[in-house]
């Protein structure tokens, strides 16, 4: 499996320190750069990359290293320097560990995982010339075929790092699937789970007892024609792995808000206020930080994220935000420039233990503020039985259950106030916001009855599908 090693240091690794680390294999190995200088590579005598090192990142968000690594560091900002070893060369993992160990020794930091740290010179004994040259220029991709980019990961938590983000963009740009292969002990962060949503991308779990299976669907997989595909039974249905069976309910819960806002594309626009409002209502504090990848490294700033989205427009901007340590809370945001204006697609997840209750009574007030002040289009609130830490394990978890749906005032006006205010029997909406232009809030349940999905679907069909279509 690929060995990822991270040096966590209080000081930024300067060029001499980086070079001292990179010469962990002795003077016979070479050094070059790729990705416009953002990645430095330790190479064999023939120029083949053995270890790729990403440019150091200053993580200024408290608790972020513990969230992703279960590895605490001293209070204060920390420089995160990640090295990724080639899977093709036996010595590469030790080279990565020696690189990180040398940085930590010189700068007074630590290494994750701790057992990888060393300062030894690692001689290259493999015949590198006998190893096929990699077919990809992306350091994160281990196997590249005509249809699929395969990334092998052996860390306990698979985060949407800049490595993975680059691999996903590269795969999508060449019409390939991205398939991440992990051991069964691995979990995904929610941003990684979101990125892998939908075929042909997959989370491939390699179980020593059960072979390969899809960590999100449970389908048994095998390698065929250059990609991992489902194994079918005699009736043609995909087989489900025994390892995917659900675990006993721990009473942990997740509160998930999925919302869209829309704003006029005007110069004074500042993005991120809707997300900050949701954080404050549900946690009592604004987001602690934001970034375009994990680890989340930048202190929260609506102005900075607005500047980034404006610079990237009309291309979409994707980002992730986290809360302070203590309450697990994480959000992903996609900023889109559309003919109707600037839209923010937000998914906000909060985790609660068995002795904690999700604040469902705060949703209606939050919906009101989002509508009157932040251009709410729609808001779906759900609850699911899932891990408090918001990570995704490779086994079946219960789907979310709808609690409420809110139709923003502008959207309600487009639907028609009379229609929005008189839904199918069994639904009693509450009018929110301004009396002259109300939003409508539809309670759907307490998050325990899966039949609420049927009620929600009936409501959506009523609101958004024309009556002529319904009659057909």
């Amino acid at each position: 499996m690929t060995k990822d090693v991270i040096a966590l240091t209080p000081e930024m690794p300067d060029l001499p320190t980086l070079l001292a680390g990179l010469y962990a294999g002795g003077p016979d190995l070479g050094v070059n750069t790729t990705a416009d200088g953002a990645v430095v590579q330790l190479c064999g005598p023939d120029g083949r990359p053995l270890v790729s090192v990403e440019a150091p990142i200053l993580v200024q968000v408290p608790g972020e290293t513990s969230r992703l690594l279960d590895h605490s560091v001293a209070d204060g900002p920390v420089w995160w320097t990640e090295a990724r070893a080639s899977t093709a060369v036996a010595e590469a993992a030790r080279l990565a560990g020696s690189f990180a160990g040398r940085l930590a020794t010189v700068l007074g930091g630590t290494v994750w995982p701790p057992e990888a740290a060393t300062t030894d010179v690692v001689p290259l004994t493999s015949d590198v010339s006998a190893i096929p040259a990699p077919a990809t220029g992306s350091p994160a991709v281990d196997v590249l075929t005509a249809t699929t980019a395969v990334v092998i990961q052996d860390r306990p938590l698979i985060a949407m790092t800049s490595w993975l983000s680059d691999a996903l963009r590269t795969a999508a740009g060449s019409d390939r699937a991205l398939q991440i292969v992990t051991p069964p002990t691995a979990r995904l962060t929610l941003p990684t789970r979101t990125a892998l949503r939908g075929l042909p991308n997959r989370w491939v779990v390699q179980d020593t007892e059960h072979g390969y299976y899809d960590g999100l669907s449970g389908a048994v997989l095998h390698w065929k024609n250059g990609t991992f595909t489902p194994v079918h039974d005699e009736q043609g249905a995909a087989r489900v792995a025994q390892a995917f069976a659900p675990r006993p309910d721990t009473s942990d819960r997740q509160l998930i808000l999925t919302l869209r806002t829309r704003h006029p594309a005007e110069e004074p626009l500042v993005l991120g206020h809707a997300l900050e409002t949701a954080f404050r209502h549900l946690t009592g504090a604004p987001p602690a930080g934001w970034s375009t990848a994990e680890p989340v490294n930048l202190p929260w700033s609506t102005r900075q994220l607005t500047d980034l989205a404006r610079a990237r427009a009309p291309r979409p901007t994707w980002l992730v935000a986290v809360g302070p340590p203590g309450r697990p809370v994480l959000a992903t945001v996609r900023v889109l420039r559309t003919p109707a204006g600037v839209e923010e697609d937000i998914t906000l997840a909060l985790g609660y233990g068995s002795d904690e209750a999700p604040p469902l009574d705060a949703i209606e007030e939050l919906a009101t503020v989002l509508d009157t002040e932040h251009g709410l289009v729609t808001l779906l609130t759900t609850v699911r039985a899932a891990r408090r830490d918001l990570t995704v394990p490779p086994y079946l978890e219960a789907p979310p259950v709808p609690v409420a749906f809110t139709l923003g005032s502008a959207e309600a006006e487009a639907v028609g106030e009379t229609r929005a205010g008189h839904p199918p029997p069994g639904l009693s909406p509450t009018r929110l916001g301004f009396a002259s232009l109300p939003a409508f809030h539809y309670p759907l349940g307490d998050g325990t009855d899966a039949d609420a999905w049927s009620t929600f679907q009936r409501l959506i069909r009523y609101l958004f599908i024309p009556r002529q279509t319904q009659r057909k």
Side-chain angles (χ1 to χ4, degrees):
M1 299 292 276
T2 296
K3 193 65 175 180
D4 300 330
V5 185
I6 302 165
L8 301 165
T9 58
E11 299 178 28
M12 179 180 179
D14 57 14
L15 184 57
T17 305
L18 287 172
L19 289 175
L22 287 166
Y23 282 113
D28 293 336
L29 301 186
V31 176
N32 64 23
T33 62
T34 186
D36 296 325
V39 176
V40 180
Q41 293 179 323
L42 175 63
C43 301
D46 64 346
R48 200 165 311 225
L50 306 176
V51 176
S52 299
V53 180
E54 193 174 30
I57 302 170
L58 179 60
V59 179
Q60 305 175 67
V61 179
E64 189 64 356
T65 59
S66 297
R67 180 178 76 87
L68 296 180
L69 303 177
D70 292 329
H71 185 93
S72 299
V73 296
D75 291 339
V78 62
W79 287 92
W80 173 301
T81 307
E82 185 161 345
R84 181 175 172 81
S86 167
T87 54
V89 180
E91 295 85 357
R94 292 174 57 210
L95 283 168
S98 184
F99 164 80
R102 290 174 176 223
L103 259 62
T105 299
V106 172
L107 301 175
T110 62
V111 172
W112 180 93
E115 64 273 14
T118 178
T119 57
D120 296 342
V121 174
V122 181
L124 184 64
T125 58
S126 297
D127 182 5
V128 179
S129 63
I131 300 170
T136 172
S138 175
V141 175
D142 295 288
V143 178
L144 188 70
T145 72
T147 61
T148 305
V150 178
V151 176
I152 302 173
Q153 293 268 270
D154 65 351
R155 55 212 291 173
L157 189 60
I158 313 302
M160 184 44 61
T161 62
S162 56
W163 298 100
L164 272 187
S165 182
D166 174 70
L168 182 62
R169 284 193 301 269
T170 301
S174 59
D175 292 326
R176 288 181 169 93
L178 177 68
Q179 297 184 341
I180 302 176
V181 181
T182 77
T185 53
R187 291 167 284 120
L188 307 183
T189 65
L190 282 180
T192 306
R193 167 67 180 90
T194 301
L196 291 179
R197 180 175 294 150
L199 298 176
N201 300 331
R202 287 189 187 277
W203 176 17
V204 181
V205 179
Q206 185 178 13
D207 192 308
T208 54
E209 296 183 5
H210 302 91
Y212 295 97
Y213 69 95
D214 190 309
L216 299 177
S217 71
V220 175
L221 303 173
H222 62 163
W223 182 257
K224 183 178 181 181
N225 298 328
T227 193
F228 284 99
T229 60
V231 176
H232 296 92
D233 59 22
E234 296 178 354
Q235 287 71 42
R239 290 169 47 197
V240 177
Q242 293 180 354
F244 193 67
R247 305 300 192 265
D249 187 0
T250 63
S251 298
D252 283 4
R253 294 292 182 268
Q254 293 177 7
L255 175 63
I256 304 172
L257 279 66
T258 306
L259 64 134
R260 169 170 286 196
T261 65
R262 183 180 298 132
H263 320 275
E266 299 173 350
E267 185 61 32
L269 173 63
V270 177
L271 300 170
H273 284 310
L275 180 61
E276 181 174 323
T277 296
F279 262 78
R280 290 186 182 277
H281 270 74
L282 299 175
T283 71
W290 74 285
S291 185
T292 56
E294 294 177 294
V296 174
N297 64 313
L298 300 172
W300 177 249
S301 170
T302 56
R303 173 51 62 186
Q304 289 182 359
L305 70 88
T306 300
D307 290 344
L308 176 66
R310 183 173 285 120
R312 290 186 172 185
R315 294 173 298 160
T317 294
W318 181 91
L319 59 94
V320 58
V322 297
R327 164 64 59 210
V329 53
L330 187 148
T332 60
V333 183
R334 191 164 186 256
V335 181
L336 302 164
R337 181 69 170 89
T338 71
V342 179
E343 300 186 352
E344 296 171 284
D345 284 335
I346 301 171
T347 300
L348 173 62
L350 304 95
Y352 300 89
S354 58
D355 57 345
E356 302 170 305
L360 300 182
D361 54 354
I363 299 301
E364 186 174 316
E365 179 184 354
L366 170 60
T368 301
V369 177
L370 291 174
D371 179 68
T372 56
E373 300 180 15
H374 303 296
L376 179 68
V377 178
T378 57
L379 165 62
L380 174 63
T381 303
T382 61
V383 170
R384 68 179 308 189
R387 294 174 61 105
R388 182 183 186 273
D389 64 8
L390 305 180
T391 63
V392 182
Y395 54 78
L396 181 63
E397 289 188 307
V401 177
V403 171
F405 177 73
T406 307
L407 188 67
S409 55
E411 201 73 4
E413 184 181 32
V415 169
E417 182 177 335
T418 300
R419 186 172 184 80
H422 297 83
L427 288 165
S428 300
T430 302
R431 297 164 68 98
L432 305 180
F434 303 114
S436 59
L437 189 61
F440 289 88
H441 182 74
Y442 306 88
L444 300 170
D446 61 1
T448 62
D449 185 1
D451 288 341
W453 275 118
S454 298
T455 304
F456 172 67
Q457 292 168 354
R458 186 159 47 97
L459 173 63
I460 294 303
R461 286 195 297 268
Y462 174 82
L463 291 175
F464 298 111
I465 300 178
R467 290 183 178 181
Q468 298 93 318
T469 303
Q470 290 186 20
R471 284 196 293 268
K472 291 179 183 179

